Amino acid sequence: MRTPLFVATGAALAAAAVASAALAVGMPGNAHRVTHADLKAVNFVENCAFSHRAPDDPIVHAGMPGMSHDHSFVGNVSTNALSTLASLQAAGTTCKKVADTAAYWMPTLYQGTAQVLPVGATIYYRRNTLAAVRPFPSGLKMIAGDSAATARQSLGVTYWNCGVEGDARPTSTVPTCPSGRRTMLRLHVRFPSCWDGHSLDSADHKSHMAYPVANRCPASHPVAVPAIELIYRYPIQGGSDVSLASGGQLSGHGDFFNAWQQPALRRLVNGCLNALVHCGQG
């Protein structure tokens, strides 16, 4: 059974009120009062079950079914090459927060020639800028990571590991995880969190977004938005015979199409991220 849209403890709500009153977080002119230390563990967390897989990509190959490498989708149950904001917002979701009808996807994983479907995804929505963040605008599309990479990408963007109990450092190549239910293989992708303020997409699906530097957005992308980390969990221990549909082990990337029900997203952004509260899983 899905949990309600947003569940916070009384302590968390009280903390939000105190933060808002004491720091005036999110108000113009007060962003300088937030420090890097204040941002630690400020997040809300989404959990989404696997939905479906298909050789579709409504960002890179919009309107062209079957033209993409294979993807594994979580979140919105209707995502395909023909998806629009309206079609996504009218569909259901595999996420615990029923208002999260956004679409999330990564390239399908293979072990040898066999497809390995994720058991689900954990999605962190963090604040990593001193400035207050705004909710993503409806219809925003973005890609993180390089689907054509043949060399190691920055571990700040994408990496593999075995989970917090897996004792495997983040790495560009697939590790071999110790056996155990909580140490399964994971692929992480971190999305940029600075927006240019006007484009919902761009020709390369990346130029309208940027990563912050020292917790500040560049002048070219002045609008701070939530920092998403998409983590897929796979029911295998990894190994050298694992590859991605986009090619090899180095081409980790993820896609996001914002189709949240905006009032719900706004409440989470303001009640958690801008209030400097760790809301965790709702």
Side-chain angles (χ1 to χ4, degrees):
M1 179 179 297
R2 291 173 183 158
T3 58
L5 155 70
F6 175 47
V7 177
T9 64
L13 293 175
V18 170
S20 297
L23 297 175
V25 175
M27 297 298 291
N30 287 291
H32 68 281
R33 301 173 69 177
V34 178
T35 68
H36 174 77
D38 293 324
L39 303 180
K40 184 177 181 180
V42 172
N43 62 54
F44 61 90
V45 184
E46 180 64 289
N47 282 285
C48 306
F50 170 72
S51 174
H52 60 284
R53 47 152 297 274
D56 284 1
D57 188 328
I59 295 180
V60 177
H61 295 289
M64 295 183 285
M67 291 298 293
S68 172
H69 55 255
D70 206 77
H71 285 108
S72 295
F73 297 88
V74 302
N76 199 287
V77 299
S78 71
T79 313
N80 60 38
L82 304 178
S83 291
T84 64
L85 175 61
S87 71
L88 292 172
Q89 289 186 327
T93 180
T94 67
C95 297
K96 288 189 175 181
K97 295 178 177 67
V98 296
D100 184 2
T101 45
Y104 309 87
W105 63 98
M106 283 192 185
T108 295
L109 191 77
Y110 289 83
Q111 186 157 45
T113 59
Q115 291 179 346
V116 180
L117 302 178
V119 297
T122 301
I123 306 162
Y124 285 88
Y125 279 71
R126 297 185 173 102
R127 173 173 166 179
N128 64 4
T129 55
L130 301 180
V133 298
R134 297 185 194 175
F136 301 112
S138 291
L140 180 75
K141 303 174 183 179
M142 59 176 171
I143 298 175
D146 183 358
S147 64
T150 56
R152 297 173 187 268
Q153 300 187 61
S154 167
L155 296 180
V157 176
T158 183
Y159 65 91
W160 303 90
N161 76 354
C162 302
V164 294
E165 297 181 14
D167 195 29
R169 294 179 300 172
T171 179
S172 297
T173 54
V174 175
T176 298
C177 301
S179 60
R181 182 178 63 85
R182 298 175 63 86
T183 59
M184 63 182 64
L185 181 67
R186 288 162 167 81
L187 177 59
H188 298 239
V189 175
R190 292 172 173 165
F191 288 78
S193 58
C194 297
W195 177 45
D196 67 11
H198 54 83
S199 302
L200 296 179
D201 198 1
S202 51
D204 62 359
H205 313 295
K206 293 184 177 183
S207 297
H208 60 304
M209 304 297 299
Y211 290 90
V213 177
N215 301 117
R216 299 180 186 275
C217 287
S220 58
H221 296 75
V223 181
V225 294
I228 294 177
E229 182 172 1
L230 179 60
I231 308 169
Y232 271 27
R233 306 185 306 277
Y234 300 97
I236 59 172
Q237 266 54 61
S240 60
D241 61 342
V242 172
S243 63
L244 293 166
S246 46
Q249 299 183 354
L250 303 176
S251 62
H253 64 284
D255 299 64
F256 172 70
F257 190 148
N258 180 35
W260 271 85
Q261 307 300 315
Q262 285 297 109
L265 178 60
R266 188 176 304 112
R267 285 193 293 272
L268 287 163
V269 167
N270 291 331
C272 301
L273 306 187
N274 287 333
L276 299 178
V277 172
H278 168 60
C279 293
Q281 301 181 28

